[in-house]
Structure formats: C-alpha cells, structure tokens
C-alpha cells in the first residue's frame, strides 16, 4: 500500500497567465499535483488578487497514485475564472497529503521561458 506524503496546505504566491503567445506554444500555467497515496485527494483552490475579492471553493479531485497537471486558466467556479494578464496567488488545500508544483510557460516572444518550482507547504 502506498502511503500519502506531502502536505495538505500549499501556497503559490506568484501567478500570472501571460496575455499573449507567439509561435506554436500557448503561454500557460499549471499546478502539478502528485498524490502518492491510495485515497483520492479532494483539493480546494482559492485564487487571490491585488485589487478584487478572491475566487474561492474551486474543487478538483486527484485520484490515488496519480498526478494531474491542472491548467490554471481552466480553474473556475460559478462562471468566474482567472483572467489573463493579472497577477494572482494560489492557495491549495487537500484532505490528504499531496505534493504541489507550479509551472509557467511564457511564450510571449520567440525565446520561450519555462519556470517550475515547488509550492510552499504550510505546516
């Protein structure tokens, strides 16, 4: 049996979906979640902004012993989603321990940039 590892509360303070893309690749961001345990992880996302109320209670499930790459542009609740070109931060909570990584592909110019970092676990 695989044991759940990681944390149940994560923060990603730097979010930004580039508003434009060039070439064949679309600028995007992903929250990559690894669930090593056998039980499905029920996630809840909160998206914070500089100048507006947060988007709360965005739910997502990652099955046991699976990984999911969740595009932030696809996160929505009640028709509300993250706009492009606006800074934001992400809070992820889970009912079981998971590992959270954040990646951004910036293809606004011909020289693409890929950034990937672990989220910050809250203990």
């Amino acid at each position: 049996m695989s044991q759940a590892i990681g944390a149940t509360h994560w923060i990603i303070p730097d979010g930004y979906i580039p508003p434009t893309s060039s070439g064949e690749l679309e600028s995007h961001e992903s929250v990559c979640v690894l669930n090593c345990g056998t039980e499905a992880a029920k996630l809840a996302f909160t998206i914070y902004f500089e100048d507006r109320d947060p988007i709360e209670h965005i739910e997502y499930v990652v099955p046991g012993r699976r990984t999911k790459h969740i595009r932030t542009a696809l996160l929505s609740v009640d028709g509300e989603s993250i706009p492009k070109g606006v800074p934001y931060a992400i809070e992820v909570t889970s009912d079981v321990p998971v590992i959270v990584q954040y990646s951004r592909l910036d293809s606004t110019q011909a020289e693409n940039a890929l950034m990937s970092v672990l989220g910050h676990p809250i203990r």
Side-chain angles (χ1 to χ4, degrees):
M1 180 188 297
S2 296
Q3 181 179 355
I5 58 173
T8 58
H9 194 180
W10 294 82
I11 299 293
I12 302 165
D14 176 33
Y16 182 81
I17 303 170
T20 60
S21 300
S22 65
E24 296 179 26
L25 298 175
E26 179 183 8
S27 294
H28 68 274
E29 295 183 320
S30 293
V31 175
C32 308
V33 179
L34 172 60
N35 180 1
C36 293
T38 56
E39 186 179 332
K42 296 176 187 123
L43 308 178
F45 289 82
T46 300
I47 309 301
Y48 295 93
F49 299 99
E50 295 177 346
D51 60 354
R52 65 185 88 176
D53 289 337
I55 302 172
E56 300 180 271
H57 310 296
I58 303 170
E59 297 177 355
Y60 201 93
V61 175
V62 178
R65 299 182 49 113
R66 297 289 185 268
T67 184
K68 290 288 183 181
H69 292 69
I70 305 160
R71 288 235 181 153
T72 59
L74 301 178
L75 292 173
S76 68
V77 65
D78 298 329
E80 193 173 15
S81 60
I82 303 168
K84 291 182 178 182
V86 173
Y88 66 94
I90 305 167
E91 179 180 20
V92 181
T93 59
S94 176
D95 63 338
V96 298
V98 294
I99 306 294
V100 173
Q101 179 180 338
Y102 165 80
S103 299
R104 177 186 300 150
L105 174 65
D106 184 344
S107 64
T108 54
Q109 44 190 329
E111 297 77 23
N112 295 322
L114 178 66
M115 175 188 78
S116 190
V117 297
L118 279 175
H120 179 74
I122 304 299
R123 305 213 187 262

